[in-house]
Amino acid sequence: MMTELFHRVARPAILAASRWEGLRRTSERLPVTRDVVHRFVPGETVADVMNSVEQLRYSERLVSIDYLGEDVTDVDTATATVTAYLELLDALGSHAEPASQVRPLEVSLKLSALGQALPRDGEKIALENAHTICERAKDVGAWVTVDAEDYTTTDSTLGIVRELRKEYVWLGTVLQAYLKRTHADCEEFAAAGARIRLCKGAYDEPASVAYRDMDDVTDSYLRCLRVLMAGSGYPMVASHDPVIIESVPGMARENNRGVEEFEYQMLYGIRDAEQRRLADAGNGVRVYVPFGNEWYGYFVRRLAERPANLTFFVRALAERRR
């Protein structure tokens, strides 16, 4: 009951807070908030994130690194984002590992951070910037996955992904199970042999395009995952939900998939013990590690996803004020 109430009442309010500019500025100035944020965002620099990468790789986990930022409004900021990713990839290249079918190092990127929403030639600019990042990733032996954003960007994002995959067939993308269109998108990309990160979805979307009830979202996720498992691509099960995690081995057996033919994905700082349990059992487990100073929107979406995250945040604030 409490979880249902959280998703119906608290979650929309928290997500609305992610759009309040004044609250963002205030939160970013508070040292106590920044201290708590480090549970989910390990730092602001490449050096910070590389320390986390080394620790995760030592525990046999895979990594996907996101340089935080989205919805850029000028070309210079988009260019600066590309520069940051190139610096990150160079750092990853210095930690290169023997080539394997599954690349342990990956970067995740949002096309809106690369200029997608710019009023003039936004899609073209984002495509060119993403191409530059993919080329460097190819050189250093890393993967790239294109993140999903709010539903209004989906057609544009998948169009850019289709274009990039003509040259970089290993490019992955994210599909969000709460969108009603996603089952069909899964069928398309599974047939094309694509790497697909399937997540539930973290934006407050209208009922006209998205499932709003959490049970409906979970049902949609499982239907979409069955499509991906039956296809010729590489499913990436991005979820912390025990119901979903427990369903994966059975689906893999039904489709004769070995542990090297799919992977679990979880967020940095969430269910670490479960990440380790899955990795210790021989599964591929990739941890999504964000870094940078544009952490506010990401952090608020993490609070909105699970009551436990919000409880942790409130408790940590109370302890630091004593």
Side-chain angles (χ1 to χ4, degrees), residues 219 221-231 251 254-255:
D219 289 344
Y221 192 109
L222 293 172
R223 289 195 304 273
C224 291
L225 184 56
R226 288 189 186 96
V227 171
L228 297 179
M229 284 289 192
M251 287 192 198
E254 289 171 10
N255 293 282

Side-chain angles (χ1 to χ4, degrees), residues 77-254:
T77 302
T79 301
T81 299
V82 175
T83 300
Y85 270 104
L86 297 182
E87 179 186 355
L88 170 61
L89 285 163
D90 286 343
L92 292 175
S94 68
H95 291 67
E97 302 183 30
S100 63
Q101 180 180 348
V102 176
R103 300 185 189 181
L105 305 177
E106 178 192 75
V107 297
S108 290
L109 51 88
K110 287 182 170 59
L111 293 179
S112 75
L114 302 183
Q116 182 183 30
L118 295 177
R120 190 169 186 176
D121 295 327
E123 287 192 17
K124 180 175 181 291
I125 292 169
L127 173 60
E128 291 172 352
N129 285 336
H131 185 279
T132 298
I133 293 169
C134 287
E135 188 65 21
R136 183 67 59 87
K138 182 185 75 173
D139 291 342
V140 305
W143 268 343
V144 176
T145 289
V146 175
D147 268 326
E149 301 183 64
D150 74 84
Y151 82 98
T152 64
T153 68
T154 303
D155 282 331
S156 171
T157 295
L158 295 184
I160 291 172
V161 166
R162 292 184 192 99
E163 187 64 28
L164 288 168
R165 289 194 73 251
K166 293 176 182 177
E167 186 171 354
Y168 307 104
V169 69
W170 42 260
L171 179 75
T173 194
V174 177
L175 296 176
Q176 302 178 100
Y178 68 174
L179 294 182
K180 296 176 180 178
R181 62 172 289 167
T182 296
H183 190 273
D185 290 332
C186 284
E187 291 179 328
E188 174 194 344
F189 283 94
R195 285 194 311 116
I196 295 297
R197 176 191 298 156
L198 183 64
C199 67
K200 285 189 174 181
Y203 296 84
D204 188 23
E205 307 289 31
S208 58
V209 300
Y211 300 107
R212 303 279 297 182
D213 180 83
M214 292 311 297
D215 288 340
D216 291 340
V217 174
T218 300
D219 289 344
S220 175
Y221 192 109
L222 293 172
R223 289 195 304 273
C224 291
L225 184 56
R226 288 189 186 96
V227 171
L228 297 179
M229 284 289 192
S232 60
Y234 182 79
M236 300 180 286
V237 186
S239 178
H240 306 98
D241 186 341
V243 172
I244 290 171
I245 292 170
E246 290 166 8
S247 75
V248 172
M251 287 192 198
R253 286 193 300 270
E254 289 171 10

